[in-house]
Amino acid sequence: MRLLKVATCNLNQWAMDFDSNLQHIKASIQKAKASGATVRVGPELEITGYGCEDHFLEPDTITHAWECLKDILAEDLTRGILCNIGMPVELSGVRYNCQVFCLNQKILLIRPKICLANDGNYRELRWFSAWKHRHQLVEYQLPSIIADAVSQKIVPFGDGYLSFIDTNIAAETCEELFTPDAPHIGLALSGVEVFTNGSGSHHQLRKLNTRLELIQSGTYKSGGVYIYSNQQGCDGGRLYYDGCACIAVNGDIVAQGSQFSLHDVEVVTALVDLDAVRYHAPEEEIALGPGCWLWDYLRRSGASGYLLPLSGGADSSSVAAIVGCMCQLVINAIAEGDEVVKSDAIRIGQYTNGDFPTDSKEFAKHIFYTVFMGSENSC
């Protein structure tokens, strides 16, 4: 199993109250770490507060946001935990509503909002621009105020995701969940398993039902873990943000925070098994599907291996690669304690004296044979 402890939060932030907002963010990270979580998601624009309105047009607002992020990174808060922090960022004179991914006192990615909320109570286009360059990243020069503090000058900025050894993580931001072409759809098809959503969503009668249905629907169709965070309370304007931070796995809500609460900081956690939500990328499907088929055919046919005529072309070399994938699957299953696979591998590979395969390349030498059979197209 690939177990991942994740955390999300409701934060009662106040517009332009940088000191209190910063303390709430720090407290949420500390609580997430104390629970053993290695991923923490925060609300949209949590450093500044969502309802800053025309204060977003003031350069000092963004400067103070960077100062707060510097304060977070200067401490040991992000050591061992991936933090998704919401704040405004300016690139080439254009303001964006961003999610900033931080880990081990470094910034890994700045992800700007793609679809802005601009109806009803929302006027985001007055203060921000939407990122129009889908699936594109640019280099962002960090302001000196933070570049010097973290010894980092350049950060990827744009519509991308983070790829780790054991999983891929991507962000949506509030309104994007409600759009017909929600980013999580394409990302899931590209192999992303964990989605974060920092929101500033206000209370409206039965709106929570719609929000939860969209989260459940997205993870039910594509599979995955969806970590939703929201502001909670009044941040100085006329709206009440109704929290309900939640974590969904494969269409099921496995953890949910309060909708109406007086707490400034509420952290919600869940332990998820990524193997239960795995959604493979096309390249993985091409390799793993035929690899599983080859193993089933081999173990049931009574054969002792495969003989592959090599011509030097794409077809035979692809088959060889797929056999290699099959061997890796066998070794992984044995390592996980599957006694049936182990028994079949010993029989097919003709291992004796209690020996069994522990390395995919070594196992391939037992069951995979090739012979060159050139054609008129061979070099």
Side-chain angles (χ1 to χ4, degrees), residues 52-127:
C52 296
E53 300 186 350
D54 282 0
H55 287 295
F56 283 124
L57 305 178
E58 301 169 2
D60 279 357
T61 302
I62 296 179
T63 299
H64 292 324
W66 280 117
E67 290 172 345
C68 290
L69 186 62
K70 171 189 172 183
D71 196 329
I72 293 170
L73 295 178
E75 298 182 24
D76 208 30
L77 288 169
T78 61
R79 180 66 57 185
I81 185 169
L82 177 68
C83 293
N84 184 353
I85 299 173
M87 61 176 282
V89 177
E90 185 175 296
L91 172 67
S92 301
V94 180
R95 285 177 304 279
Y96 295 98
N97 177 348
C98 295
Q99 301 288 323
V100 182
F101 285 94
C102 305
L103 174 66
N104 295 334
Q105 299 176 290
K106 299 291 183 182
I107 300 174
L108 303 185
L109 172 69
I110 300 176
R111 199 282 198 176
K113 196 171 182 178
I114 296 170
C115 301
L116 300 182
N118 208 56
D119 59 351
N121 291 298
Y122 298 97
R123 293 291 179 269
E124 290 186 5
L125 281 172
R126 178 180 175 91
W127 310 298

Side-chain angles (χ1 to χ4, degrees), residues 77-292:
L77 288 169
T78 61
R79 180 66 57 185
I81 185 169
L82 177 68
C83 293
N84 184 353
I85 299 173
M87 61 176 282
V89 177
E90 185 175 296
L91 172 67
S92 301
V94 180
R95 285 177 304 279
Y96 295 98
N97 177 348
C98 295
Q99 301 288 323
V100 182
F101 285 94
C102 305
L103 174 66
N104 295 334
Q105 299 176 290
K106 299 291 183 182
I107 300 174
L108 303 185
L109 172 69
I110 300 176
R111 199 282 198 176
K113 196 171 182 178
I114 296 170
C115 301
L116 300 182
N118 208 56
D119 59 351
N121 291 298
Y122 298 97
R123 293 291 179 269
E124 290 186 5
L125 281 172
R126 178 180 175 91
W127 310 298
F128 301 107
S129 293
W131 181 254
K132 298 296 187 181
H133 312 289
R134 294 296 297 269
H135 315 302
Q136 294 184 32
L137 293 171
V138 299
E139 287 189 345
Y140 178 78
Q141 181 77 41
L142 287 173
S144 58
I145 186 175
I146 193 167
D148 295 339
V150 299
S151 300
Q152 184 180 7
K153 296 182 178 180
I154 301 295
V155 174
F157 184 106
D159 181 19
Y161 61 87
L162 298 174
S163 183
F164 296 94
I165 293 175
D166 51 357
T167 193
N168 297 322
I169 299 178
E172 284 189 324
T173 307
C174 199
E175 177 73 9
E176 294 167 359
L177 174 63
F178 294 82
T179 59
D181 186 23
H184 70 261
I185 299 172
L187 289 165
L189 295 174
S190 297
V192 174
E193 297 174 309
V194 181
F195 305 91
T196 70
N197 188 320
S199 285
S201 188
H202 72 288
H203 173 253
Q204 182 177 316
L205 193 63
R206 313 315 292 169
K207 181 183 178 183
L208 174 62
N209 293 48
T210 302
R211 193 189 304 157
L212 292 177
E213 286 172 1
L214 289 169
I215 292 172
Q216 291 176 287
S217 174
T219 56
Y220 177 79
K221 291 184 297 183
S222 303
V225 179
Y226 204 99
I227 313 169
Y228 177 88
S229 176
N230 196 14
Q231 305 249 7
Q232 187 170 61
C234 165
D235 73 347
R238 58 192 179 89
L239 298 179
Y240 176 82
Y241 301 95
D242 63 345
C244 279
C246 65
I247 301 166
V249 180
N250 290 353
D252 295 321
I253 303 296
V254 298
Q256 183 176 329
S258 64
Q259 185 175 17
F260 307 108
S261 171
L262 301 183
H263 296 300
D264 286 334
V265 179
E266 181 181 358
V267 175
V268 178
T269 64
L271 182 65
V272 298
D273 179 6
L274 294 177
D275 285 333
V277 302
R278 189 68 189 267
Y279 195 92
H280 293 289
E283 296 85 355
E284 291 179 306
E285 292 185 34
I286 291 170
L288 299 177
C292 289

Side-chain angles (χ1 to χ4, degrees), residues 329-345:
L329 288 167
V330 170
I331 298 305
N332 290 340
I334 293 174
E336 292 169 0
D338 192 317
E339 292 298 326
V340 174
V341 173
K342 180 179 178 181
S343 175
D344 287 336

